[in-house]
Amino acid sequence: EMIAYGMRHGTVVGIGIGAPGLIEDGVVRCSPNLPGWKEVPLQKLLEKALSLPVVLENDANAVAYGEKSSGAGKGFNSLICITLGTGVGGGLILNGRIWRGAFGMAGEVGHMVVEPEGLQCSCGNRGCLETYASATGIVRAAKEAIKKGDAAWDTDNLTTEMLDAAARGGDKAAASLFAGAGRYLGVGIASLLHILNPEAVILGGGVSKAWDLFYPSMTEEINKRCFREIVERSKILPATLGDSAGILGAARLAFEKG
């Protein structure tokens, strides 16, 4: 969880929390990252314990709000923030406000299907973006390449950071892994651009550090699939706040409530 304090002139005016899972009306309905958490009224519990206003938000939404208020999204009124980490998360900012959906589940961009008969995803579906563009998905693809004899990396220490370094050192097999992830990102982003028509798409998370390795194939797919008017006017940008995005977003929400 990400906990931040909204402060005004040195005084704490509220507390903002970014938590994984389904968050609705200040309640953690369920969370894959917090086993046993079901229908936990976290906002009310903390407000009672601390006598301060508390804002409880989904962690990906907090990241998106952080980038909107203090990072790469500053100046845009509508944007999509995609976090490429262990999974693929998403947050939507529409007309300056977080769009949570009818019951808090909007922004699940990692579970858009980009390959109809594709790989099994942990959610039970097949071909989700998360299975191809997350750190987990890239490492899985690397292990498949090793099995096929296309590469000879050390499987005991296989991370996206190691593969990133290999690609920058001229390893074509490693570079192709990021290019493949970029293509699937491009497929997913093209659909998001057509449906929501945001001003910008911002990509953060650990995998986004390999920006220059996946950006060419990603934009190639977007250019092939999107209306020309959309391509010309939409910005695709790297996030700028790193691990601070969620904390800053939660703090901003707390400050605004306080």
Side-chain angles (χ1 to χ4, degrees), residues 22-103:
L22 173 54
I23 311 298
E24 188 178 9
D25 299 326
V27 177
V28 180
R29 298 290 182 201
C30 60
S31 175
N33 306 73
L34 301 170
W37 282 50
K38 294 278 186 185
E39 305 299 328
V40 178
L42 187 58
Q43 181 176 317
K44 284 185 179 176
L45 289 172
L46 288 175
E47 285 182 337
K48 185 176 180 181
L50 301 170
S51 300
L52 282 167
V54 173
V55 174
L56 177 64
E57 187 55 75
N58 170 269
D59 54 352
N61 287 347
V63 167
Y65 206 68
E67 289 291 345
K68 161 74 178 78
S69 55
S70 309
K74 210 167 181 179
F76 297 116
N77 207 31
S78 295
L79 61 89
I80 301 166
C81 187
I82 300 175
T83 307
L84 307 170
T86 305
V88 173
L92 310 178
I93 307 292
L94 303 178
N95 293 330
R97 299 170 67 88
I98 295 172
W99 176 254
R100 299 175 181 85
F103 40 89

Side-chain angles (χ1 to χ4, degrees), residues 223-243:
N223 290 342
K224 281 196 302 189
R225 295 172 184 275
C226 274
F227 295 140
R228 179 54 44 198
E229 293 81 3
I230 288 177
V231 170
E232 289 172 351
R233 297 178 68 178
S234 304
K235 306 290 185 189
I236 313 292
L237 303 168
T240 59
L241 299 178
D243 294 338

Side-chain angles (χ1 to χ4, degrees), residues 1-255:
E1 284 180 49
M2 301 170 292
I3 302 177
Y5 304 94
M7 300 187 71
R8 185 181 289 118
H9 304 304
T11 303
V12 177
V13 296
I15 295 170
I17 300 175
L22 173 54
I23 311 298
E24 188 178 9
D25 299 326
V27 177
V28 180
R29 298 290 182 201
C30 60
S31 175
N33 306 73
L34 301 170
W37 282 50
K38 294 278 186 185
E39 305 299 328
V40 178
L42 187 58
Q43 181 176 317
K44 284 185 179 176
L45 289 172
L46 288 175
E47 285 182 337
K48 185 176 180 181
L50 301 170
S51 300
L52 282 167
V54 173
V55 174
L56 177 64
E57 187 55 75
N58 170 269
D59 54 352
N61 287 347
V63 167
Y65 206 68
E67 289 291 345
K68 161 74 178 78
S69 55
S70 309
K74 210 167 181 179
F76 297 116
N77 207 31
S78 295
L79 61 89
I80 301 166
C81 187
I82 300 175
T83 307
L84 307 170
T86 305
V88 173
L92 310 178
I93 307 292
L94 303 178
N95 293 330
R97 299 170 67 88
I98 295 172
W99 176 254
R100 299 175 181 85
F103 40 89
M105 294 198 70
E108 288 288 349
V109 301
H111 298 290
M112 289 190 300
V113 174
V114 292
E115 192 70 81
E117 301 303 322
L119 296 163
Q120 187 81 43
C121 181
S122 59
C123 75
N125 198 357
R126 284 193 171 274
C128 292
L129 178 61
E130 186 168 292
T131 63
Y132 299 99
S134 65
T136 308
I138 292 168
V139 169
R140 176 208 52 76
K143 289 178 178 176
E144 286 296 315
I146 293 166
K147 279 184 186 176
K148 290 178 183 176
D150 297 335
W153 303 302
D154 177 9
T155 53
D156 294 330
N157 190 33
L158 205 57
T159 63
T160 51
E161 289 82 7
M162 185 273 278
L163 294 165
D164 183 314
R168 294 178 196 284
D171 187 328
K172 290 183 179 178
S176 73
L177 295 173
F178 292 99
R183 279 191 291 274
Y184 282 112
L185 272 171
V187 171
I189 289 171
S191 292
L192 292 170
L193 290 173
H194 279 141
I195 295 164
L196 294 171
N197 188 207
E199 295 164 273
V201 176
I202 294 164
L203 293 146
V207 176
S208 70
K209 293 171 185 172
W211 177 263
D212 53 320
L213 297 175
F214 66 77
Y215 181 80
S217 59
M218 177 182 72
T219 51
E220 182 181 348
E221 284 297 327
I222 292 169
N223 290 342
K224 281 196 302 189
R225 295 172 184 275
C226 274
F227 295 140
R228 179 54 44 198
E229 293 81 3
I230 288 177
V231 170
E232 289 172 351
R233 297 178 68 178
S234 304
K235 306 290 185 189
I236 313 292
L237 303 168
T240 59
L241 299 178
D243 294 338
S244 300
I247 293 171
L248 290 169
R252 171 62 61 179
L253 289 165
F255 183 83

